[in-house]
Amino acid sequence: ICVFICLLPFDRPRICINANAKYCGECIQAGAKCGWCTDPNFLKQGETVSTRCDELDSLIKRGCDKAMIENPHGEQKTLKNKPVTHRKKGAEKLDPEDITQIKPQKLSLTLRSGEPQSFDLTFKRAEDYPIDLYYLMDLSYSMKDDLENVKNLGTSLMLEMEKITSDFKIGFGSFVEKTVMPYISTTPAKLLNPCTGDQNCTSPFSYKNVLNLTSDGKKFNTLVGQQHISGNLDSPEGGFDAIMQVAVCGDQIGWRNVTRLLVFSTDAGFHFAGDGKLGGIVLPNDGKCHLENNMYTMSHYYDYPSIAHLVQKLSDNNIQTIFAVTEEFQPVYQELKNLIPKSAVGTLSANSSNVINLIIDAYNSLSSEVILENSKLPEGVTIAYTSHCKNGVVSEGENGRKCSNISIGDEVTFSISVTSKGCPKQGKTDTIKIKPLGFTEEVEITLNFICECECHKDGIKNSPLCHNGTYECGACKCNEGRVGRQCECSSNDVATEDMDRTCRKDNGTDICSNNGDCVCGTCECKKRDNPEERYSGQYCECDNFNCDRSGNKLCGGHGRCECRVCICDPMWTGSACDCSLDNSTCMASNKQICNGRGTCECGTCKCTDPKFQGPTCETCPTCPGVCTEHKECVQCRAFGTGEKKDTCERDCSYFNLIKVKDREKLPQPNDASYPVMHCKERDANDCWFYYTYAVNNNTEKEVHVVDTLDCPSGPDIIPIVAGVVAGIVLIGLALLLIWKLLMIIHDRREFAKFEKEKMNAKWDTGENPIYKSAVTTVVNPKYEGK
């Protein structure tokens, strides 16, 4: 998490500031968002010329007038935009050159580095579009029975193709193998008749153009009927040599600028580049036409072509290939199809009896798919496709180049975006072409590149403002070997002791405060990784990122940092601009500052009454009535009961509910840093539930509730009856014991009283208080007993 937070400031693109552009043209080539400030007074002391190059928002924020920012944009012009052809079969016949299936046809794009130019390309498959079909057949001995069925192919195929187009031409060619060992036997007898037994075969050959493209189906039948089978030694055939010659010998074959189909019929595999070494042939195929008298004459001299070479030539000549092969070789040619765009594979019956249906099906498959390709792009130029096909299907990337299931008359659109990086070919005009595979039509795009700013044209060479350079776009563009803001120094004399002395604030400080380089006696401050952060000042002693922060924001986000001091926005103060002078945020709903229960400090209420809290001191979680106020919502959210159970989600989502197991787990007042109200409420079933309500330090309402109800249990009759009976008995015994105890105490008291009275009744006569003796005794006080 720490690493993520630390990298956040650098998420913004730094392409402009990192370009270190020395002049305007170099700046605009760095990226599409880069602009150059031409204001002569824009640079602050210590800033390098390259700081004129920055994003537009940053330049404006730094004080550059928008009118003085050089920021050219690319453009596009449509030079030819002939509409696609709308006509039905049977209408007036048009020349192939007059039929349009793709628009626009010609564009001019002016590209600014990093700024894409987009346009839409429309393709519509035209009805009754002319077709040229060339049938290339393997005439090795294994194809003997197939040749018989192909002899009538011309007229039969003409009848079927009339359902698709009224302008159809067909041609025929054949191939066997290179006429060298070990592909064929070179003995004189075998050169005349390579077949064994009494079979009469023609001499082996590499490729022969039997019939140029023609609309005469009968002629096709006649010439094909005159062909004879030949033979060779190995199983793979030399079909690639034949395909190459059919593709590049357009004049001899008679190809027109229409849909071109090549049907390749065989029951064997193929040789490819490198196999020629077996016959001592090492020269790579040159991809050129070598037909003399309709025969390929260089099969013994050039190797077989590679698959990539064939793909290039077939694509260059807009030829779509149909591989009509036997079931045994289906997997091999299926893999070959995957390597050759706009090609199809059909299963040929053992005697080629199904060849017409195979051709029709393959043609429908090929023509229902359009795939765009482009010519080689200049270095630094990229192109992106987005297809908008039938039924609203949209694709991007490689799939954006093609659309499938296109019927005749369907119109599809491709969005094409062209982008350049830098200034390819030093700004020279270039041309690229985009076309659908298998079609002759194409879009020609002329590319122009913006390499210099408009103000470059007004540059003043050897201007008095520049000692050795050109004054353009508000700054000096120094000649080679010169440096300095005014090109006043030689690059060989930039580090002398006298110059370094002028870059020190005093003798005890570092050169340019260790935040820059001394160039030509003037400090040029270093750049920071974050493009928003800059050093400035005569000695690079200032910066705009070392001011006080608040809330992890420089100057609290309410000011700007200038030379390490925050310059606050209006209504803000403090060293970090974190103290708001606006009291509106402290105003309570009753129009009193902090609800009359606190003071407003820096736009925030400091509540003086500890019972109140919240942003305006209006929340009192522990005030009477809180428990009753939230009872119904707590009951419905915690237990799904109560009067609000049907409207719970709508009315009771204003607090966070946290369930606990028992009452001991509820927050206690001493545990939290904010007031907590404990509540005990009874529901309709006389069950008690316990919860706490509080507003935490983040002003979020929190409710902790015990997730089990405290319900009274039903009476148990037997214990109650037994208890009552036992209680009565015990109470009776207790009363008897008490009565007995009281009687005993009473009797003892009475007996004690009796005993006392009895003792008082025992009088002696001498002690009778009524009795008086008749004798009086007088004692002489002087008598001492002598």
Side-chain angles (χ1 to χ4, degrees), residues 177-195 202-205 230-234 278-281 299-300:
E177 186 56 275
K178 288 185 181 293
T179 55
V180 294
M181 282 288 289
Y183 312 111
I184 66 168
S185 176
T186 56
T187 60
K190 291 294 184 180
L191 285 176
L192 292 176
N193 182 8
C195 300
T202 189
S203 299
F205 57 91
S230 185
N232 62 315
L233 295 179
D234 60 342
L278 294 173
I281 303 172
S299 67
H300 64 287

Side-chain angles (χ1 to χ4, degrees), residues 100-121:
T100 304
Q101 297 183 110
I102 187 171
K103 73 167 189 176
Q105 294 81 39
K106 198 169 185 180
L107 286 171
S108 174
L109 301 182
T110 301
L111 301 178
R112 157 90 185 269
S113 177
E115 180 185 60
Q117 290 295 324
S118 302
F119 64 93
D120 288 339
L121 184 150

Side-chain angles (χ1 to χ4, degrees), residues 581-754:
L581 301 177
D582 184 7
N583 290 339
S584 61
T585 55
C586 297
M587 194 69 68
S589 57
N590 58 7
K591 304 301 180 183
Q592 290 186 350
I593 298 294
C594 298
N595 195 30
R597 302 180 186 277
T599 58
C600 187
E601 297 179 8
C602 296
T604 304
C605 282
K606 302 293 183 183
C607 302
T608 54
D609 191 335
K611 292 192 300 182
F612 288 84
Q613 60 184 122
T616 54
C617 301
E618 293 181 272
T619 305
C620 181
T622 58
C623 291
V626 170
C627 293
T628 305
E629 178 185 353
H630 304 291
K631 169 187 173 182
E632 295 295 337
C633 281
V634 173
Q635 188 177 350
C636 81
R637 286 190 60 183
F639 309 106
T641 59
E643 296 179 1
K644 292 188 176 182
K645 64 180 181 179
D646 296 328
T647 60
C648 193
E649 186 174 349
R650 182 189 68 195
D651 299 338
C652 300
S653 59
Y654 59 86
F655 60 81
N656 297 327
L657 183 71
I658 304 166
K659 292 185 178 182
V660 298
K661 292 294 182 182
D662 49 51
R663 294 173 63 182
E664 285 72 19
K665 298 290 177 31
L666 292 173
Q668 302 302 317
N670 295 332
D671 297 338
S673 59
Y674 45 84
V676 177
M677 184 67 177
H678 280 255
C679 301
K680 176 184 178 183
E681 296 292 335
R682 189 197 304 268
D683 63 10
N685 298 323
D686 286 334
C687 294
W688 294 96
F689 58 94
Y690 304 89
Y691 66 93
T692 61
Y693 177 82
V695 180
N696 62 23
N697 294 329
N698 296 326
T699 68
E700 296 175 342
K701 298 178 178 64
E702 283 185 355
V703 171
H704 290 72
V705 60
V706 179
D707 60 2
T708 55
L709 294 169
D710 187 4
C711 298
S713 59
D716 194 349
I717 301 299
I718 295 175
I720 291 175
V721 172
V724 171
V725 172
I728 293 172
V729 172
L730 292 174
I731 291 172
L733 290 173
L735 290 174
L736 287 174
L737 291 173
I738 293 171
W739 177 80
K740 183 66 176 174
L741 180 63
L742 291 175
M743 288 297 100
I744 292 172
I745 294 172
H746 179 72
D747 289 345
R748 286 182 177 180
R749 284 180 178 177
E750 289 296 322
F751 181 75
K753 183 179 179 181
F754 170 77

Side-chain angles (χ1 to χ4, degrees), residues 134-241:
Y134 192 84
Y135 196 91
L136 183 59
M137 185 174 180
D138 176 7
L139 284 189
S140 59
Y141 187 77
S142 59
M143 293 287 287
K144 181 179 180 181
D145 54 346
D146 300 81
L147 181 60
E148 295 302 319
N149 286 307
V150 175
K151 287 179 179 179
N152 297 318
L153 179 65
T155 52
S156 301
L157 191 56
M158 281 286 183
L159 292 174
E160 288 295 326
M161 295 302 288
E162 282 179 359
K163 301 175 183 178
I164 300 174
T165 178
S166 60
D167 188 358
F168 176 70
K169 288 189 175 184
I170 188 170
F172 184 82
S174 58
F175 66 90
V176 180
E177 186 56 275
K178 288 185 181 293
T179 55
V180 294
M181 282 288 289
Y183 312 111
I184 66 168
S185 176
T186 56
T187 60
K190 291 294 184 180
L191 285 176
L192 292 176
N193 182 8
C195 300
T196 59
D198 57 353
Q199 296 291 332
N200 185 21
C201 298
T202 189
S203 299
F205 57 91
S206 177
Y207 162 67
K208 177 168 58 177
N209 176 31
V210 177
L211 175 65
N212 293 350
L213 290 165
T214 178
S215 56
D216 188 351
K218 293 181 180 179
K219 185 177 180 181
F220 179 94
N221 293 350
T222 301
L223 287 176
V224 173
Q226 298 172 0
Q227 301 305 305
H228 296 283
I229 291 296
S230 185
N232 62 315
L233 295 179
D234 60 342
S235 176
E237 313 294 1
F240 276 16
D241 272 341

